[in-house]
Amino acid sequence: MAALLLTGVTALAQNGTNKFIRKGNELYQKQLFSDAEANYKKALEQNAQSAVGSYNLGNSLYQQKRFDDARTQYANSLKTADNSRMKAEADYNIGNTFMEAKKWEESIKSYKQALKINPADEDARYNLAYAQAMLKKQQQDNKDNKDNKDKNKDKNKDKNKDQHKDQNKDQQDKDKKDQNKDQQDKDKDKNKDQNKDKDQQEQQKPEPQPSKMNKQEAERLLQALSQEEKKLQDKARKMKGQPVPVEKDW
């Protein structure tokens, strides 16, 4: 499980926004995130270029699981921040928002950017490794799913081919059976006619009545070809790892 850490709000404030940011921080610490959001927005109304206001607003939105909105505010703080530490933390938290959406490639890019600014950030390094592992797992699962889809396609193709083959064989057996039956009927009629002629020729001779001929039994055993379908289903093992936001001090 990735150690998804959300950096804390900063107590720094700029002129004209100090009151609202300070109040927002107090509410944030009490986990009243929607109220903190309202105060950070008031701070930004007074100074739209406040990197601290955008960053802290991003944190309050993140805590409300509004990750897309949070990402927008972190991006705004990146544009206006005047110190590398805030930029590194903004990149790190942007990586967190992408990780929440399982957008591994985007989160990897953000964590790399955070490490570029602050190579000592072990949390970013850990989350980077986690995102890279999840991306590799996702790619492998996609490959397995594609292989299974191709296998099923080939299997259905072979099944249809075998069904068509069985149908042709059944029709051939039926035709052969009908031909044999016709021949038997003809032989039976022929024997009947021959016996009738013989009786007419020898009707003056008192002889015992000939014994009845046993009917020939047509033994036709239609053997149905049964094919055993092999159901090969590769279960994609999904690694469940829900990163848990843990706040660390600014």
Side-chain angles (χ1 to χ4, degrees):
M1 181 180 293
L4 185 60
L5 307 178
L6 180 64
T7 57
V9 296
T10 177
L12 298 177
Q14 299 172 347
N15 293 334
T17 62
N18 190 316
K19 178 177 66 173
F20 292 116
I21 289 181
R22 183 166 57 248
K23 181 64 175 177
N25 290 351
E26 292 174 2
L27 293 167
Y28 185 95
Q29 297 301 328
K30 294 177 182 179
Q31 298 186 357
L32 299 174
F33 302 120
S34 61
D35 294 333
E37 173 193 348
N39 279 272
Y40 294 139
K41 284 182 176 179
K42 289 179 180 178
L44 289 171
E45 287 176 1
Q46 291 191 356
N47 181 7
Q49 300 301 312
S50 172
V52 174
S54 295
Y55 179 85
N56 289 359
L57 175 58
N59 280 352
S60 65
L61 293 169
Y62 187 101
Q63 295 288 8
Q64 297 175 70
K65 300 187 183 302
R66 294 158 58 186
F67 303 118
D68 291 341
D69 294 336
R71 189 183 309 122
T72 298
Q73 294 304 320
Y74 292 138
N76 289 340
S77 69
L78 277 174
K79 296 176 183 177
T80 56
D82 57 1
N83 68 84
S84 60
R85 182 177 181 182
M86 181 179 288
K87 289 183 178 180
E89 297 294 355
D91 275 319
Y92 174 87
N93 284 346
I94 287 174
N96 287 356
T97 64
F98 281 127
M99 183 177 284
E100 291 286 355
K102 297 183 179 180
K103 295 181 177 179
W104 310 117
E105 291 183 1
E106 293 86 343
S107 64
I108 289 171
K109 185 183 297 184
S110 296
Y111 292 135
K112 284 184 176 180
Q113 185 61 30
L115 285 168
K116 184 177 180 180
I117 300 173
N118 180 16
D121 191 340
E122 292 302 321
D123 294 326
R125 193 178 306 282
Y126 179 84
N127 280 10
L128 171 61
Y130 177 82
Q132 288 173 329
M134 291 302 294
L135 176 61
K136 184 177 180 179
K137 179 69 169 59
Q138 184 183 64
Q139 291 171 340
Q140 184 61 45
D141 287 345
N142 291 338
K143 182 178 181 299
D144 292 342
N145 289 336
K146 183 178 183 302
D147 291 342
N148 287 337
K149 186 176 180 181
D150 292 340
K151 286 180 181 178
N152 289 333
K153 185 177 179 181
D154 292 339
K155 183 175 70 175
N156 290 334
K157 183 178 179 181
D158 292 340
K159 183 178 179 180
N160 291 334
K161 182 178 179 180
D162 291 339
Q163 287 177 343
H164 184 67
K165 181 179 179 182
D166 290 342
Q167 290 174 352
N168 288 339
K169 185 179 185 302
D170 291 341
Q171 185 61 42
Q172 290 175 354
D173 290 343
K174 184 177 182 301
D175 292 342
K176 188 175 181 180
K177 181 179 179 180
D178 292 340
Q179 290 176 355
N180 290 337
K181 187 176 183 302
D182 292 341
Q183 185 62 41
Q184 288 175 0
D185 292 340
K186 289 180 179 179
D187 292 342
K188 183 178 179 181
D189 292 340
K190 182 178 180 181
N191 290 334
K192 184 178 179 181
D193 292 340
Q194 289 176 347
N195 290 335
K196 184 178 179 180
D197 293 341
K198 184 177 181 182
D199 291 341
Q200 289 176 349
Q201 292 176 0
E202 298 180 357
Q203 60 184 347
Q204 302 299 327
K205 295 181 179 179
E207 290 185 1
Q209 189 175 1
S211 61
K212 294 183 180 179
M213 294 180 62
N214 292 329
K215 296 183 180 179
Q216 294 181 356
E217 296 180 356
E219 297 179 355
R220 297 286 177 186
L221 297 178
L222 299 177
Q223 299 178 352
L225 296 177
S226 62
Q227 281 193 334
E228 181 180 359
E229 287 188 14
K230 294 181 179 179
K231 297 180 180 179
L232 299 176
Q233 297 178 349
D234 295 332
K235 296 181 180 180
R237 292 174 295 177
K238 296 182 179 179
M239 194 166 68
K240 296 181 180 180
Q242 181 71 27
V244 180
V246 179
E247 186 175 316
K248 68 178 182 180
D249 295 334
W250 174 265

